[in-house]
PDB file of all heavy atoms in Angstrom:
ATOM      1  N   TRP A 167     103.571 126.405  70.763  1.00  0.00           N
ATOM      2  CA  TRP A 167     102.846 125.304  70.135  1.00  0.00           C
ATOM      3  C   TRP A 167     102.655 124.176  71.164  1.00  0.00           C
ATOM      4  O   TRP A 167     103.592 123.829  71.877  1.00  0.00           O
ATOM      5  CB  TRP A 167     103.627 124.804  68.912  1.00  0.00           C
ATOM      6  CG  TRP A 167     103.009 123.610  68.275  1.00  0.00           C
ATOM      7  CD1 TRP A 167     101.839 123.567  67.576  1.00  0.00           C
ATOM      8  CD2 TRP A 167     103.534 122.282  68.301  1.00  0.00           C
ATOM      9  NE1 TRP A 167     101.595 122.287  67.169  1.00  0.00           N
ATOM     10  CE2 TRP A 167     102.614 121.469  67.595  1.00  0.00           C
ATOM     11  CE3 TRP A 167     104.664 121.688  68.846  1.00  0.00           C
ATOM     12  CZ2 TRP A 167     102.802 120.097  67.414  1.00  0.00           C
ATOM     13  CZ3 TRP A 167     104.859 120.335  68.676  1.00  0.00           C
ATOM     14  CH2 TRP A 167     103.928 119.554  67.969  1.00  0.00           C
ATOM     15  N   ASN A 299      87.748 113.555  64.359  1.00  0.00           N
ATOM     16  CA  ASN A 299      88.722 114.142  63.451  1.00  0.00           C
ATOM     17  C   ASN A 299      89.740 113.061  63.111  1.00  0.00           C
ATOM     18  O   ASN A 299      90.217 112.356  64.001  1.00  0.00           O
ATOM     19  CB  ASN A 299      89.385 115.350  64.123  1.00  0.00           C
ATOM     20  CG  ASN A 299      90.435 115.980  63.234  1.00  0.00           C
ATOM     21  OD1 ASN A 299      91.482 115.392  62.994  1.00  0.00           O
ATOM     22  ND2 ASN A 299      90.161 117.165  62.729  1.00  0.00           N
ATOM     23  N   TRP A 301      92.829 113.230  62.111  1.00  0.00           N
ATOM     24  CA  TRP A 301      94.274 113.498  62.158  1.00  0.00           C
ATOM     25  C   TRP A 301      95.027 112.476  63.022  1.00  0.00           C
ATOM     26  O   TRP A 301      95.834 111.703  62.528  1.00  0.00           O
ATOM     27  CB  TRP A 301      94.520 114.944  62.618  1.00  0.00           C
ATOM     28  CG  TRP A 301      95.979 115.314  62.642  1.00  0.00           C
ATOM     29  CD1 TRP A 301      96.695 115.729  63.715  1.00  0.00           C
ATOM     30  CD2 TRP A 301      96.901 115.294  61.534  1.00  0.00           C
ATOM     31  NE1 TRP A 301      97.996 115.980  63.358  1.00  0.00           N
ATOM     32  CE2 TRP A 301      98.151 115.719  62.022  1.00  0.00           C
ATOM     33  CE3 TRP A 301      96.784 114.974  60.190  1.00  0.00           C
ATOM     34  CZ2 TRP A 301      99.284 115.815  61.214  1.00  0.00           C
ATOM     35  CZ3 TRP A 301      97.918 115.062  59.375  1.00  0.00           C
ATOM     36  CH2 TRP A 301      99.136 115.473  59.888  1.00  0.00           C
ATOM     37  N   PHE A 306      98.192 110.950  57.433  1.00  0.00           N
ATOM     38  CA  PHE A 306      98.078 111.107  55.974  1.00  0.00           C
ATOM     39  C   PHE A 306      97.627 109.820  55.285  1.00  0.00           C
ATOM     40  O   PHE A 306      97.555 109.772  54.052  1.00  0.00           O
ATOM     41  CB  PHE A 306      99.426 111.547  55.393  1.00  0.00           C
ATOM     42  CG  PHE A 306      99.786 112.971  55.716  1.00  0.00           C
ATOM     43  CD1 PHE A 306     100.739 113.271  56.667  1.00  0.00           C
ATOM     44  CD2 PHE A 306      99.150 114.024  55.058  1.00  0.00           C
ATOM     45  CE1 PHE A 306     101.074 114.584  56.960  1.00  0.00           C
ATOM     46  CE2 PHE A 306      99.476 115.345  55.348  1.00  0.00           C
ATOM     47  CZ  PHE A 306     100.439 115.622  56.308  1.00  0.00           C
ATOM     48  N   ASP A 331      90.772 115.175  57.888  1.00  0.00           N
ATOM     49  CA  ASP A 331      91.859 116.153  58.081  1.00  0.00           C
ATOM     50  C   ASP A 331      92.816 116.115  56.889  1.00  0.00           C
ATOM     51  O   ASP A 331      92.503 115.580  55.810  1.00  0.00           O
ATOM     52  CB  ASP A 331      92.554 115.880  59.431  1.00  0.00           C
ATOM     53  CG  ASP A 331      93.129 117.139  60.063  1.00  0.00           C
ATOM     54  OD1 ASP A 331      94.217 117.567  59.635  1.00  0.00           O
ATOM     55  OD2 ASP A 331      92.485 117.698  60.969  1.00  0.00           O
ATOM     56  N   ASP A 332      93.976 116.677  57.078  1.00  0.00           N
ATOM     57  CA  ASP A 332      95.002 116.858  56.057  1.00  0.00           C
ATOM     58  C   ASP A 332      95.251 115.566  55.259  1.00  0.00           C
ATOM     59  O   ASP A 332      95.238 114.476  55.832  1.00  0.00           O
ATOM     60  CB  ASP A 332      96.288 117.264  56.803  1.00  0.00           C
ATOM     61  CG  ASP A 332      97.309 117.914  55.907  1.00  0.00           C
ATOM     62  OD1 ASP A 332      97.102 117.946  54.698  1.00  0.00           O
ATOM     63  OD2 ASP A 332      98.331 118.395  56.446  1.00  0.00           O
ATOM     64  N   ARG A 338      99.460 115.625  48.300  1.00  0.00           N
ATOM     65  CA  ARG A 338      99.658 115.696  49.755  1.00  0.00           C
ATOM     66  C   ARG A 338      99.665 114.298  50.392  1.00  0.00           C
ATOM     67  O   ARG A 338      98.695 113.893  51.051  1.00  0.00           O
ATOM     68  CB  ARG A 338      98.532 116.553  50.330  1.00  0.00           C
ATOM     69  CG  ARG A 338      98.710 116.934  51.796  1.00  0.00           C
ATOM     70  CD  ARG A 338      99.686 118.031  51.972  1.00  0.00           C
ATOM     71  NE  ARG A 338      99.657 118.558  53.344  1.00  0.00           N
ATOM     72  CZ  ARG A 338     100.541 119.425  53.806  1.00  0.00           C
ATOM     73  NH1 ARG A 338     101.496 119.872  53.014  1.00  0.00           N
ATOM     74  NH2 ARG A 338     100.462 119.845  55.041  1.00  0.00           N
ATOM     75  N   ASP A 341     103.690 116.051  54.649  1.00  0.00           N
ATOM     76  CA  ASP A 341     103.584 117.515  54.748  1.00  0.00           C
ATOM     77  C   ASP A 341     104.622 118.263  53.909  1.00  0.00           C
ATOM     78  O   ASP A 341     104.858 119.448  54.127  1.00  0.00           O
ATOM     79  CB  ASP A 341     103.610 117.969  56.219  1.00  0.00           C
ATOM     80  CG  ASP A 341     104.962 117.733  56.886  1.00  0.00           C
ATOM     81  OD1 ASP A 341     105.905 117.296  56.201  1.00  0.00           O
ATOM     82  OD2 ASP A 341     105.071 117.995  58.101  1.00  0.00           O
ATOM     83  N   TRP A 376      89.344 119.415  55.992  1.00  0.00           N
ATOM     84  CA  TRP A 376      90.464 120.284  56.381  1.00  0.00           C
ATOM     85  C   TRP A 376      90.991 121.026  55.159  1.00  0.00           C
ATOM     86  O   TRP A 376      91.134 120.443  54.077  1.00  0.00           O
ATOM     87  CB  TRP A 376      91.564 119.391  56.946  1.00  0.00           C
ATOM     88  CG  TRP A 376      92.843 120.064  57.383  1.00  0.00           C
ATOM     89  CD1 TRP A 376      93.162 120.436  58.652  1.00  0.00           C
ATOM     90  CD2 TRP A 376      93.989 120.399  56.579  1.00  0.00           C
ATOM     91  NE1 TRP A 376      94.427 120.979  58.685  1.00  0.00           N
ATOM     92  CE2 TRP A 376      94.958 120.968  57.425  1.00  0.00           C
ATOM     93  CE3 TRP A 376      94.283 120.275  55.218  1.00  0.00           C
ATOM     94  CZ2 TRP A 376      96.200 121.404  56.972  1.00  0.00           C
ATOM     95  CZ3 TRP A 376      95.521 120.727  54.762  1.00  0.00           C
ATOM     96  CH2 TRP A 376      96.467 121.287  55.639  1.00  0.00           C
ATOM     97  N   GLU A 378      94.004 124.408  54.181  1.00  0.00           N
ATOM     98  CA  GLU A 378      94.967 125.408  54.674  1.00  0.00           C
ATOM     99  C   GLU A 378      95.189 126.430  53.558  1.00  0.00           C
ATOM    100  O   GLU A 378      96.250 126.502  52.938  1.00  0.00           O
ATOM    101  CB  GLU A 378      96.293 124.736  55.090  1.00  0.00           C
ATOM    102  CG  GLU A 378      97.171 125.683  55.886  1.00  0.00           C
ATOM    103  CD  GLU A 378      98.491 125.070  56.357  1.00  0.00           C
ATOM    104  OE1 GLU A 378      98.708 123.862  56.135  1.00  0.00           O
ATOM    105  OE2 GLU A 378      99.292 125.814  56.935  1.00  0.00           O
ATOM    106  N   ARG A 408     107.654 124.263  57.930  1.00  0.00           N
ATOM    107  CA  ARG A 408     106.904 123.059  57.548  1.00  0.00           C
ATOM    108  C   ARG A 408     106.862 122.924  56.019  1.00  0.00           C
ATOM    109  O   ARG A 408     105.821 122.654  55.445  1.00  0.00           O
ATOM    110  CB  ARG A 408     105.491 123.087  58.130  1.00  0.00           C
ATOM    111  CG  ARG A 408     104.921 121.697  58.343  1.00  0.00           C
ATOM    112  CD  ARG A 408     103.451 121.719  58.697  1.00  0.00           C
ATOM    113  NE  ARG A 408     102.999 120.387  59.059  1.00  0.00           N
ATOM    114  CZ  ARG A 408     101.751 119.966  59.015  1.00  0.00           C
ATOM    115  NH1 ARG A 408     100.791 120.782  58.631  1.00  0.00           N
ATOM    116  NH2 ARG A 408     101.432 118.756  59.351  1.00  0.00           N
ATOM    117  N   LYS A 441      87.579 122.767  58.546  1.00  0.00           N
ATOM    118  CA  LYS A 441      88.645 123.069  59.512  1.00  0.00           C
ATOM    119  C   LYS A 441      89.698 123.862  58.763  1.00  0.00           C
ATOM    120  O   LYS A 441      90.392 123.328  57.895  1.00  0.00           O
ATOM    121  CB  LYS A 441      89.234 121.775  60.073  1.00  0.00           C
ATOM    122  CG  LYS A 441      90.422 122.001  61.006  1.00  0.00           C
ATOM    123  CD  LYS A 441      90.945 120.700  61.566  1.00  0.00           C
ATOM    124  CE  LYS A 441      92.198 120.904  62.398  1.00  0.00           C
ATOM    125  NZ  LYS A 441      92.765 119.628  62.874  1.00  0.00           N
ATOM    126  N   ASP A 443      93.007 125.676  58.559  1.00  0.00           N
ATOM    127  CA  ASP A 443      94.282 125.646  59.268  1.00  0.00           C
ATOM    128  C   ASP A 443      95.212 126.734  58.738  1.00  0.00           C
ATOM    129  O   ASP A 443      95.002 127.284  57.641  1.00  0.00           O
ATOM    130  CB  ASP A 443      94.898 124.250  59.059  1.00  0.00           C
ATOM    131  CG  ASP A 443      95.852 123.844  60.174  1.00  0.00           C
ATOM    132  OD1 ASP A 443      96.240 124.701  60.966  1.00  0.00           O
ATOM    133  OD2 ASP A 443      96.198 122.646  60.224  1.00  0.00           O
ATOM    134  N   ASN A 445      99.538 127.206  59.198  1.00  0.00           N
ATOM    135  CA  ASN A 445     100.626 126.580  59.944  1.00  0.00           C
ATOM    136  C   ASN A 445     101.996 127.237  59.860  1.00  0.00           C
ATOM    137  O   ASN A 445     102.998 126.577  60.115  1.00  0.00           O
ATOM    138  CB  ASN A 445     100.762 125.118  59.520  1.00  0.00           C
ATOM    139  CG  ASN A 445      99.647 124.279  60.110  1.00  0.00           C
ATOM    140  OD1 ASN A 445      99.424 124.300  61.307  1.00  0.00           O
ATOM    141  ND2 ASN A 445      98.922 123.556  59.264  1.00  0.00           N
ATOM    142  N   CYS A 486      91.806 127.139  63.000  1.00  0.00           N
ATOM    143  CA  CYS A 486      92.911 126.348  63.528  1.00  0.00           C
ATOM    144  C   CYS A 486      94.189 126.993  63.027  1.00  0.00           C
ATOM    145  O   CYS A 486      94.240 127.480  61.899  1.00  0.00           O
ATOM    146  CB  CYS A 486      92.793 124.915  63.003  1.00  0.00           C
ATOM    147  SG  CYS A 486      94.247 123.901  63.311  1.00  0.00           S
ATOM    148  N   SER A 487      95.214 127.017  63.840  1.00  0.00           N
ATOM    149  CA  SER A 487      96.493 127.508  63.360  1.00  0.00           C
ATOM    150  C   SER A 487      97.574 126.786  64.158  1.00  0.00           C
ATOM    151  O   SER A 487      97.930 127.211  65.254  1.00  0.00           O
ATOM    152  CB  SER A 487      96.583 129.028  63.549  1.00  0.00           C
ATOM    153  OG  SER A 487      97.791 129.508  63.034  1.00  0.00           O
ATOM    154  N   SER A 488      98.025 125.661  63.623  1.00  0.00           N
ATOM    155  CA  SER A 488      98.941 124.788  64.380  1.00  0.00           C
ATOM    156  C   SER A 488      98.391 124.638  65.795  1.00  0.00           C
ATOM    157  O   SER A 488      99.099 124.869  66.777  1.00  0.00           O
ATOM    158  CB  SER A 488     100.343 125.383  64.452  1.00  0.00           C
ATOM    159  OG  SER A 488     100.753 125.898  63.223  1.00  0.00           O
ATOM    160  N   GLY A 489      97.144 124.285  65.904  1.00  0.00           N
ATOM    161  CA  GLY A 489      96.467 124.312  67.198  1.00  0.00           C
ATOM    162  C   GLY A 489      95.921 125.701  67.439  1.00  0.00           C
ATOM    163  O   GLY A 489      95.212 126.263  66.600  1.00  0.00           O
ATOM    164  N   TRP A 505      90.378 125.561  67.133  1.00  0.00           N
ATOM    165  CA  TRP A 505      91.112 124.386  67.568  1.00  0.00           C
ATOM    166  C   TRP A 505      92.092 124.894  68.621  1.00  0.00           C
ATOM    167  O   TRP A 505      93.021 125.638  68.325  1.00  0.00           O
ATOM    168  CB  TRP A 505      91.793 123.695  66.392  1.00  0.00           C
ATOM    169  CG  TRP A 505      92.525 122.438  66.789  1.00  0.00           C
ATOM    170  CD1 TRP A 505      93.743 122.032  66.339  1.00  0.00           C
ATOM    171  CD2 TRP A 505      92.080 121.422  67.704  1.00  0.00           C
ATOM    172  NE1 TRP A 505      94.077 120.836  66.934  1.00  0.00           N
ATOM    173  CE2 TRP A 505      93.080 120.446  67.784  1.00  0.00           C
ATOM    174  CE3 TRP A 505      90.927 121.265  68.489  1.00  0.00           C
ATOM    175  CZ2 TRP A 505      92.967 119.312  68.601  1.00  0.00           C
ATOM    176  CZ3 TRP A 505      90.814 120.147  69.304  1.00  0.00           C
ATOM    177  CH2 TRP A 505      91.830 119.184  69.346  1.00  0.00           C
ATOM    178  N   SER A 507      94.319 123.611  70.716  1.00  0.00           N
ATOM    179  CA  SER A 507      95.724 123.209  70.794  1.00  0.00           C
ATOM    180  C   SER A 507      95.916 121.908  70.046  1.00  0.00           C
ATOM    181  O   SER A 507      95.015 121.063  70.024  1.00  0.00           O
ATOM    182  CB  SER A 507      96.125 123.003  72.260  1.00  0.00           C
ATOM    183  OG  SER A 507      97.465 122.569  72.336  1.00  0.00           O
ATOM    184  N   ASP A 508      97.110 121.732  69.485  1.00  0.00           N
ATOM    185  CA  ASP A 508      97.449 120.428  68.910  1.00  0.00           C
ATOM    186  C   ASP A 508      97.755 119.418  70.005  1.00  0.00           C
ATOM    187  O   ASP A 508      98.015 118.255  69.710  1.00  0.00           O
ATOM    188  CB  ASP A 508      98.672 120.551  67.995  1.00  0.00           C
ATOM    189  CG  ASP A 508      98.292 120.945  66.585  1.00  0.00           C
ATOM    190  OD1 ASP A 508      97.083 120.978  66.292  1.00  0.00           O
ATOM    191  OD2 ASP A 508      99.193 121.214  65.782  1.00  0.00           O
ATOM    192  N   GLU A 564      89.646 112.197  68.580  1.00  0.00           N
ATOM    193  CA  GLU A 564      90.709 112.236  67.573  1.00  0.00           C
ATOM    194  C   GLU A 564      91.605 111.035  67.865  1.00  0.00           C
ATOM    195  O   GLU A 564      92.689 111.165  68.444  1.00  0.00           O
ATOM    196  CB  GLU A 564      91.469 113.564  67.685  1.00  0.00           C
ATOM    197  CG  GLU A 564      92.425 113.795  66.539  1.00  0.00           C
ATOM    198  CD  GLU A 564      92.993 115.201  66.522  1.00  0.00           C
ATOM    199  OE1 GLU A 564      92.409 116.109  67.142  1.00  0.00           O
ATOM    200  OE2 GLU A 564      94.036 115.379  65.881  1.00  0.00           O
TER     201      GLU A 564
HETATM  202  C1  LIG B   1      97.944 121.407  62.289  1.00  0.00           C
HETATM  203  C2  LIG B   1      96.648 121.229  63.001  1.00  0.00           C
HETATM  204  O1  LIG B   1      96.644 121.978  64.173  1.00  0.00           O
HETATM  205  C3  LIG B   1      96.395 119.750  63.237  1.00  0.00           C
HETATM  206  O2  LIG B   1      95.223 119.583  63.986  1.00  0.00           O
HETATM  207  C4  LIG B   1      96.315 119.062  61.916  1.00  0.00           C
HETATM  208  O3  LIG B   1      95.201 119.510  61.210  1.00  0.00           O
HETATM  209  C5  LIG B   1      97.583 119.297  61.125  1.00  0.00           C
HETATM  210  N1  LIG B   1      97.890 120.695  61.018  1.00  0.00           N
HETATM  211  C6  LIG B   1      97.471 118.709  59.755  1.00  0.00           C
HETATM  212  O4  LIG B   1      98.536 119.004  58.969  1.00  0.00           O
END
Side-chain angles (χ1 to χ4, degrees):
W167 175 70
N299 179 291
W301 182 239
F306 288 105
D331 210 281
D332 199 353
R338 190 77 169 171
D341 68 4
W376 178 97
E378 193 179 356
R408 207 190 187 202
K441 176 178 175 184
D443 206 347
N445 285 307
C486 169
S487 183
S488 316
W505 182 221
S507 178
D508 274 352
E564 190 170 340

